[in-house]
Amino acid sequence: MKKNFVNSKANYPEKNFHIGFVLKGLILGFLFSLICFLILSIILSLSNVSENFIKPASYIIMILSIVLGSVYASRKVEKNGWLYGAITGLLYIITLIIINIITSNTFSLQQIMVSRILMGLIAGTIGGILGINLR
């Protein structure tokens, strides 16, 4: 008796993680941040906006950048968009931490750093869920 084995990609789900999508999302997120911070600095220099506005605005820009990068990273995959988004958000925050360590020559695990990591994971996960559903 002859057995027919179908060796089609349709029968086997893709199990590879595509880091390229995450890296492109990460780059997009940082470019968006750069543009937003340039606009924010122009607004601050040309207006009488209080400097108390900087901290909340930077958090908003950071969250939007992570969500945008995560949406981009997860739009190209067929499943696990939340995972691609979470990894994109985590890498975004880790990159910021590394830049902070390099520029300040100090490292201390503070509560604010842990909260930023959680914020990056949550914003990235939400962006990944949005991206997979916006296809």
Side-chain angles (χ1 to χ4, degrees):
M1 188 175 243
K2 187 176 180 182
K3 293 182 182 179
N4 284 333
F5 291 102
V6 178
N7 195 8
S8 169
K9 282 191 172 186
N11 293 335
Y12 301 103
E14 185 74 28
K15 292 185 180 181
N16 296 335
F17 184 81
H18 300 285
I19 192 71
F21 298 145
V22 172
L23 294 177
K24 287 179 183 178
L26 192 61
I27 291 169
L28 180 66
F30 276 113
L31 286 175
F32 181 76
S33 291
L34 178 67
I35 292 168
C36 288
F37 281 118
L38 285 173
I39 293 170
L40 179 63
S41 66
I42 291 170
I43 290 171
L44 289 173
S45 65
L46 297 177
S47 67
N48 293 331
V49 176
S50 170
E51 289 185 11
N52 295 334
F53 179 71
I54 295 173
K55 191 170 185 176
S58 66
Y59 278 111
I60 291 169
I61 290 170
M62 190 169 38
I63 290 170
L64 290 176
S65 299
I66 292 170
V67 169
L68 178 68
S70 298
V71 166
Y72 180 83
S74 64
R75 283 183 58 105
K76 304 289 182 179
V77 297
E78 294 182 15
K79 62 179 184 175
N80 293 335
W82 64 272
L83 180 63
Y84 281 82
I87 292 172
T88 303
L90 183 63
L91 288 177
Y92 184 96
I93 297 297
I94 288 173
T95 304
L96 289 181
I97 291 170
I98 291 170
I99 291 170
N100 185 31
I101 291 170
I102 291 171
T103 57
S104 68
N105 292 328
T106 60
F107 175 76
S108 64
L109 188 63
Q110 301 171 351
Q111 182 179 1
I112 189 128
M113 189 179 299
V114 174
S115 67
R116 285 184 183 168
I117 291 171
L118 288 174
M119 181 185 64
L121 282 171
I122 292 169
T125 302
I126 291 170
I129 291 169
L130 288 173
I132 201 91
N133 289 312
L134 291 176
R135 293 185 305 142

